[in-house]
Amino acid sequence: AMRDAGLSEAHDLAGRGRGATWPNRTRLRHLPGIRIDHIFLSPELSASRAGVGGYHGSDHRAIHADIGLQAPTVP
């Protein structure tokens, strides 16, 4: 639904690897993990870098992105 609304995801634009954010704790942390946390951007925004951080007390890993305005297109 988010992509159908014209939004893009920071990790798809500028991330590397799978971007798995869960699970981070419990016995499941040894599995490959899945990306269930996202940063969605409206069409006028873009990401130059995106990634997954370390453990900070949650069962999810932190996510981060450098976000900026896209240059307007001139017709």
Side-chain angles (χ1 to χ4, degrees), residues 12-34:
D12 290 342
L13 296 173
R16 299 174 80 189
R18 295 184 59 215
T21 61
W22 183 87
N24 192 46
R25 294 180 8 185
T26 74
R27 287 176 270 169
L28 297 175
R29 72 183 178 277
H30 301 293
L31 297 174
I34 57 175

Side-chain angles (χ1 to χ4, degrees), residues 1 12 15-16 23 27 32 34-35 39 41 43 49 54 57 64 68 70:
D12 290 342
R16 299 174 80 189
R27 287 176 270 169
I34 57 175
R35 184 176 1 144
I39 299 172
L41 306 172
R49 186 172 57 172
H64 55 86
Q70 295 243 38

